[in-house]
Amino acid sequence: MPPRRVIGIDAGGTKLLGGVVDEQMVVHHRVRRTWRGAGRQETLDIFTDAVEEVRAAAPEVEAIGFGIPALVDAEAGASRWSNHLPLDGLPFRDLMSERLGLPVVVDNDGNASMLAEARGGAAAGARHAVMVALGTGIGGGLWLNGELYRGASGVGAELGHAVLQLHGPECPGDCPGIGCFEALVSGTAIGREGRRVAESEPDSALGRRLASGKEIDGGIVTELAHGGDAPARAVLATIGERLGFGLVGLVNTFNPEVIVIGGGAARGGELLLEPARAVVAARALPPPRASVRIVPAHYGDEAGMMGAALMALEALG
Ligand SMILES: [Zn+2]
């Protein structure tokens, strides 16, 4: 019998990555979408369209898993609130299941990433692990005592909205917080810091890019940093240092065996992780810092997609 196949969809704040995944976690087809400022109907249409595209390539899929950037009551299949997408108060599972004619499971995108990394990725075998996925914002997930931690009403664990800076910048999106972890550390924050440095370093690759009128975002800064541009590297070092201070709180609070850093903005790799580890080594409490590993996601920026697929496979039983 051929392995069962499902569709995993990871929808972030501005982009979607989906794929057909089988029970051996092999990805067969992929789909990508990007958007900015789409309304609710348009957003759901983009999701539907992406599913239909991969489904056309693999009509035998049995279910669909969604990881979405929202506070999701996974049991009810409902999106309670979303910082980056217009999905507040939406019976997501039932709505999408009706639209797509297949069983649907939905969870928070950070939880989906955590599940994938804990089952077969960088946190495999750990009983206590933390996921920090850097994208438009920060997706967070906690793996405590060998299972996902969801909190009292099922909408945990939004690690990106822990406050990192008193009276800091306003949190992007609809979060009422200021100085949140994700306001200071994310792909968006890398782009913002990149634009600031580009203005002060006109002779750098970053500066020349700004002068040519091209957009500077987190992806460009990361690409230039890997190419050796010193100011771009300095931007990643700054964001990596801030990431480290965010991780200090997580190391001290949860005493995890491993913290997995994923999401599209984690492509900076060691340029982000080294400064982050240095801060943890200097600032976290000695016993928890001695045992924690801070590692890149095994599934890279596909962790959310793989986790969403896993949730769908596990729901099939
Ligand atoms: Zn916030």
Side-chain angles (χ1 to χ4, degrees):
M1 211 170 73
R4 303 181 93 171
R5 291 183 179 191
V6 297
I7 293 173
I9 299 280
D10 177 21
T14 51
K15 56 183 82 160
L16 172 153
L17 176 62
V20 174
V21 182
D22 70 27
E23 56 196 341
Q24 273 128 33
M25 301 314 284
V26 176
V27 183
H28 296 271
H29 306 278
R30 288 180 172 82
V31 60
R32 285 175 191 273
R33 292 284 188 277
T34 57
W35 64 84
R36 221 166 267 275
R40 175 181 286 201
Q41 277 314 316
E42 197 188 338
T43 302
L44 296 175
D45 288 348
I46 292 166
F47 291 3
T48 305
D49 186 59
V51 168
E52 295 297 1
E53 184 184 319
V54 279
R55 197 175 171 189
E60 72 279 19
V61 293
E62 293 178 59
I64 306 160
F66 282 91
I68 62 173
L71 276 63
V72 175
D73 180 338
E75 211 164 303
S79 165
R80 298 294 182 214
W81 186 87
S82 174
N83 192 30
H84 296 288
L85 293 181
L87 300 175
D88 295 3
L90 189 71
F92 189 93
R93 178 185 64 206
D94 295 349
L95 197 97
M96 293 309 277
S97 180
E98 194 176 313
R99 268 188 177 216
L100 296 161
L102 279 175
V104 165
V105 293
V106 61
D107 205 326
N108 171 267
D109 53 351
N111 285 354
S113 299
M114 181 77 265
L115 181 73
E117 293 294 337
R119 287 269 193 263
R127 279 187 59 74
H128 306 284
V130 175
M131 181 83 213
V132 175
L134 307 174
T136 307
I138 288 182
L142 292 175
W143 186 257
L144 303 180
N145 290 311
E147 57 183 43
L148 276 176
Y149 175 82
R150 297 176 187 282
S153 48
V155 299
E158 289 289 339
L159 308 178
H161 301 281
V163 175
L164 206 57
Q165 184 186 347
L166 207 60
H167 307 299
E170 279 194 23
C171 194
D174 290 337
C175 171
I178 55 173
C180 291
F181 193 8
E182 80 165 43
L184 295 155
V185 184
S186 65
T188 313
I190 294 172
R192 193 170 52 235
E193 190 65 17
R195 287 189 290 280
R196 196 184 66 73
V197 169
E199 283 167 16
S200 62
E201 304 268 0
D203 294 332
S204 66
L206 260 183
R208 286 195 299 276
R209 178 145 180 123
L210 183 72
S212 71
K214 289 188 190 137
E215 196 190 343
I216 291 178
D217 60 16
I220 291 299
V221 174
T222 301
E223 195 184 307
L224 294 176
H226 281 304
D229 187 51
R233 286 183 168 234
V235 168
L236 292 195
T238 299
I239 301 294
E241 184 188 28
R242 292 182 194 167
L243 171 64
F245 278 102
L247 299 186
V248 166
L250 296 170
V251 168
N252 291 346
T253 305
F254 297 108
N255 182 203
E257 293 148 76
V258 56
I259 298 180
V260 182
I261 310 294
R267 285 203 196 94
E270 290 304 305
L271 296 174
L272 278 173
L273 295 190
E274 248 179 57
R277 289 192 198 102
V279 172
V280 170
R283 302 293 174 191
L285 298 169
R289 86 178 179 218
S291 56
V292 71
R293 293 181 295 120
I294 297 165
V295 300
H298 170 74
Y299 292 114
D301 62 359
E302 294 195 335
M305 177 184 89
M306 299 305 265
L310 258 175
M311 287 171 171
L313 283 164
E314 289 181 5
L316 285 175

